[in-house]
Amino acid sequence: MAATAPADRPLPVLTPPARRSAGFLSKMAAPCGRSRRWLWAAVVPAAVLCLAVRAAEEASTTEFDVRPGGEVHSFSRSLGDYTCTFTYSAQGGTNEQWQMNIGVSEDNLLFSCSVWRPQGKSYLFFTQFKAEVKGAKIEYAMAYSQAAVGAQSDIPLKQEEFEITETTVSHREGKFRFELSKLVIVAKTPHDEL
């Protein structure tokens, strides 16, 4: 049933004309000054990751258990010429179900690997972690103490807590604060130029 208004009262306008103007939209879409640099620093890596995942010709998500007990465990998946391996040691609690997603872009230029706890925050105490890619070189990587779920956002580790090399993302001894819930890697694949 359509909403009607009394003859003496018009239907409400949801957006005032000022908010529909090009000036208003450009101000909302393009923050100025120093915040623009921060915006680019935050948006570009996220855009690269989204493009890598969305353009994935092939992708695979696999569940696995992260087991406490202090022993070193590894979980690995391959897709074509590329491999992602997550190695860790954790204490406390019981097994947690995690996921690993790997994908290769349609143009075969990017390999992505994400490891995370779908419930968001892990309650395990990680004594070490390392994610390694084979067949590609890391272009972008980030580690998080909390993964986005529901109304919660990703919370990145401080840059001093982990290190990135050409092929690995790992904890930094003496700086890592033992919290890990997500790792994201986008790696550039070798390709022949014509």
Side-chain angles (χ1 to χ4, degrees):
M1 183 171 176
T4 58
D8 60 333
R9 198 168 53 161
L11 286 171
V13 177
L14 298 177
T15 57
R19 290 208 173 159
R20 285 181 262 153
S21 73
F24 176 81
L25 294 176
S26 69
K27 286 178 187 172
M28 292 303 293
C32 59
R34 294 175 195 259
S35 64
R36 180 176 279 161
R37 287 186 207 125
W38 178 86
L39 179 66
W40 279 110
V43 170
V44 169
V48 168
L49 175 63
C50 287
L51 288 173
V53 171
R54 286 183 185 245
E57 181 177 275
E58 296 182 60
S60 169
T61 300
T62 307
E63 291 185 353
F64 66 100
D65 282 339
V66 169
R67 302 182 302 254
E71 295 178 24
V72 175
H73 298 280
S74 288
F75 183 79
S76 186
R77 285 292 170 260
S78 295
L79 190 60
D81 296 333
Y82 315 109
T83 301
C84 182
T85 302
F86 175 57
T87 303
Y88 67 91
S89 177
Q91 294 282 1
T94 59
N95 291 359
E96 290 182 344
Q97 197 152 75
W98 283 50
Q99 294 181 348
M100 178 184 282
N101 177 279
I102 56 174
V104 178
S105 63
E106 285 182 19
D107 58 9
N108 205 33
L109 295 178
L110 297 173
F111 171 65
S112 63
C113 175
S114 300
V115 178
W116 75 97
R117 182 168 194 252
Q119 291 80 11
K121 181 112 173 114
S122 173
Y123 295 98
L124 297 177
F125 182 85
F126 283 84
T127 55
Q128 63 178 330
F129 74 85
K130 178 171 78 170
E132 181 176 15
V133 295
K134 290 186 180 166
K137 292 184 179 179
I138 295 175
E139 192 78 14
Y140 168 80
M142 184 54 73
Y144 300 88
S145 62
Q146 176 179 297
V149 63
Q152 297 175 332
S153 299
D154 283 337
I155 298 176
L157 295 182
K158 292 182 179 177
Q159 202 65 42
E160 68 204 29
E161 292 185 71
F162 65 101
E163 55 192 359
I164 303 168
T165 68
E166 282 189 344
T167 58
T168 65
V169 179
S170 59
H171 74 286
R172 189 169 279 158
E173 196 71 43
K175 300 286 185 177
F176 176 55
R177 293 188 180 99
F178 311 106
E179 292 182 298
L180 183 69
S181 293
K182 182 178 178 180
L183 287 167
V184 176
I185 296 173
V186 177
K188 197 169 188 175
T189 63
H191 64 283
D192 296 328
E193 298 285 334
L194 295 177

